[in-house]
């Protein structure tokens, strides 16, 4: 094996100038140009070398982080190496988890090199990777002496029948996610059509605010999903406000988020005042509609933006994407570590809303419920593999529960 080093000569060792690198003669390239301390764009010589490496098609292993990636934000500093594998040491940085750094890092290996834990004790962690160690001890599990009402009752609001697939996906996910009971709440004219599509999921008529007030009088309904396929913005605003005023848990998604785009302060005021846990699950477009000023600030990373949105809204914010960020009003945050590109398909966000609602219904604290739901959603996708569609995700949750039970026992 022949090894060539490019860069500057150190202590008399032979070293070729970086601008001599052509990239075509190698079976493997080890990228060690820059590490996690890089804060400025690559200069012209380094940038051109990175571009030649990309054109060569040579496989790359990066040391610590791909050169050109900001370890604090995942941003590309002018140009960046695209690695098949990255080996970092002791702990992951934000740039390994946030896009586009996550994409450039490829397969990430965290190698332990014997640095004592106490060395890291005073180093502030800006965010955690969203993994079971973060929330498993707060997750609620069925008791052998319990019954279905101990596991909570989730109400999922359905919109027009022709758009009811979204709410049915959320309801199925809530049931598979661990809720003891799940009810689809829809207009009475749509119940017959909904009944043809569900079995273990119950149905409840709700044509307006008086019907919802009657439903909320039953304290066993302790968590709700509002938004998937709902459509009616006026009813969405009214229903969400009533649920929050009643102190029930609420996962607000899709149309439920967009309904407040013109009057976000109404939602934020209700979230801050509510005694129930509130989780907002916007994708990038919904985030921009609900938090336009935060989304427009170029100085904010996705992590910073999610934290700012959570403080502003008073809700736990799940900022969805390949690098989903979960942020709480108290500043806690996590970046998800599970999932596959196959999740980019219609309906998977509706499934996520149902899984999160199931954790809330069972009594898991709001931030931990959101983190657990996001992780379970991504892990279900990983277990299924290629060809995933949204209907597959609830079916995989039994395997996810099995893995979590094994971790808990271990």
């Amino acid at each position: 094996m022949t090894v060539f080093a490019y860069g500057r000569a150190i202590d008399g060792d032979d070293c070729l100038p970086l601008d001599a690198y052509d990239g075509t003669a190698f079976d493997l390239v080890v990228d060690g140009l820059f590490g996690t301390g890089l804060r400025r764009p690559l200069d012209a010589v380094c940038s051109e070398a990175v571009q030649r490496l990309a054109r060569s098609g040579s496989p790359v292993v990066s040391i610590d982080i791909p050169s050109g990636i900001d370890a604090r934000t995942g941003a590309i500093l002018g140009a960046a190496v695209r690695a098949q594998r990255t080996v970092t040491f002791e702990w992951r940085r934000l740039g390994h988890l946030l896009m586009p750094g996550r994409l450039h890092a490829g397969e990430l290996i965290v190698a332990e090199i014997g640095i004592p834990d106490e060395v890291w004790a005073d180093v502030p962690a800006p965010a955690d990777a969203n993994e079971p160690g973060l929330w498993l001890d707060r997750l609620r599990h069925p008791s052998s002496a319990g019954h279905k009402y101990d596991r909570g009752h989730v109400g999922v609001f359905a919109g027009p029948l022709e758009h009811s697939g979204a709410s049915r996906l959320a309801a199925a996910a809530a049931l598979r996610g661990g809720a003891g009971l799940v009810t689809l709440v829809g207009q009475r004219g749509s119940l017959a059509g909904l009944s043809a599509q569900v079995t273990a999921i119950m149905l409840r008529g709700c044509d307006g605010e008086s019907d919802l007030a009657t439903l909320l009088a039953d304290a066993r309904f302790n968590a709700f999903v509002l938004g998937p396929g709902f459509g009616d913005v006026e009813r969405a605003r009214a229903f969400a406000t009533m649920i929050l005023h009643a102190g029930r848990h609420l996962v607000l998604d899709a149309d439920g988020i967009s309904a407040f785009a013109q009057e976000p302060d109404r939602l934020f005021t209700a979230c801050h005042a509510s005694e129930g846990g509130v989780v907002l699950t916007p994708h990038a477009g919904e985030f921009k509609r609900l938090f336009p000023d935060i989304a427009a600030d170029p100085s904010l990373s996705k992590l910073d933006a999610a934290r700012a949105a959570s403080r502003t809204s008073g809700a736990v914010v799940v900022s969805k994407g390949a690098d989903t960020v979960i942020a709480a009003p108290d500043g806690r945050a996590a970046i998800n570590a599970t999932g596959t590109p196959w999740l980019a398909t219609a309906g998977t966000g509706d499934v996520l809303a149902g899984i999160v609602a199931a954790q809330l219904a069972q009594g898991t604290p709001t931030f931990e419920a959101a983190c657990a739901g996001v992780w379970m959603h991504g892990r279900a996708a990983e277990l299924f593999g290629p060809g995933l569609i949204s209907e597959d995700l609830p079916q995989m949750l039994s395997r996810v529960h099995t893995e979590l039970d094994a971790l808990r026992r271990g």
Side-chain angles (χ1 to χ4, degrees), residues 286-336:
E286 292 160 351
F287 190 98
K288 289 178 182 178
R289 287 193 285 274
L290 195 60
F291 304 102
D293 294 339
I294 295 172
D297 188 340
S299 70
L300 297 178
S301 68
K302 184 171 183 177
L303 173 63
D304 296 331
R307 277 196 168 117
S310 185
R311 288 193 301 269
T312 298
S313 65
V316 169
V317 171
V318 175
S319 184
K320 295 187 292 193
D323 53 352
T324 295
V325 174
I326 308 99
D330 62 9
R332 288 178 296 164
I335 305 168
N336 198 45

Side-chain angles (χ1 to χ4, degrees), residues 75-86:
I76 296 173
L77 296 171
V81 169
R82 184 78 171 263
Q84 279 68 50
R85 180 173 294 174
T86 297

Side-chain angles (χ1 to χ4, degrees), residues 177-397:
L181 302 95
V182 178
T183 294
L184 272 171
V185 182
Q187 293 184 293
R188 287 179 174 81
S190 68
L191 295 185
L194 289 172
S195 68
Q197 304 289 334
V198 296
T199 304
I201 295 165
M202 298 179 291
L203 299 170
R204 176 83 174 244
C206 181
D207 290 332
E209 294 176 41
S210 62
D211 288 332
L212 179 56
T214 301
L215 185 152
L216 290 172
D218 184 348
R220 294 175 298 182
F221 278 94
N222 64 340
F224 293 90
V225 176
L226 175 60
F230 194 72
D232 189 327
V233 296
E234 291 291 341
R235 289 175 67 236
R237 285 194 291 264
F239 282 15
T241 303
M242 290 179 66
I243 292 167
L244 294 175
H245 284 170
R248 306 302 169 77
H249 302 305
L250 175 64
V251 180
L252 198 65
D253 183 44
D255 294 342
I257 293 173
S258 297
F260 287 95
Q262 300 306 313
E263 45 181 322
D265 288 343
R266 176 179 173 182
L267 173 63
F268 302 161
T269 298
C271 289
H272 279 287
S274 181
E275 296 180 359
V278 187
V279 180
L280 309 179
T281 57
H283 57 54
E286 292 160 351
F287 190 98
K288 289 178 182 178
R289 287 193 285 274
L290 195 60
F291 304 102
D293 294 339
I294 295 172
D297 188 340
S299 70
L300 297 178
S301 68
K302 184 171 183 177
L303 173 63
D304 296 331
R307 277 196 168 117
S310 185
R311 288 193 301 269
T312 298
S313 65
V316 169
V317 171
V318 175
S319 184
K320 295 187 292 193
D323 53 352
T324 295
V325 174
I326 308 99
D330 62 9
R332 288 178 296 164
I335 305 168
N336 198 45
T338 58
T340 78
W342 289 95
L343 280 169
T345 188
T348 55
D350 308 318
V351 173
L352 173 61
I355 300 172
V356 173
Q359 311 320 306
L360 291 170
Q362 293 174 88
T364 302
T366 311
F367 177 68
E368 288 81 359
C371 289
V374 170
W375 187 90
M376 293 168 69
H377 180 256
R379 183 62 183 141
E382 291 174 349
L383 289 170
F384 186 87
L388 172 80
I389 60 174
S390 54
E391 288 95 326
D392 299 320
L393 288 168
Q395 309 306 317
M396 302 305 297
L397 288 174

Side-chain angles (χ1 to χ4, degrees), residues 36-83:
T36 58
L38 185 67
R39 298 292 181 266
R40 55 177 173 78
L42 300 189
D43 62 25
V45 173
C46 292
S47 180
E48 178 57 33
V50 168
Q51 292 173 37
R52 287 198 298 273
L53 173 58
R55 290 193 295 267
S56 75
S58 299
V60 180
V61 174
S62 286
I63 302 170
D64 229 353
I65 197 164
S67 295
I69 294 296
D70 189 329
R72 303 166 302 171
T73 66
I76 296 173
L77 296 171
V81 169
R82 184 78 171 263

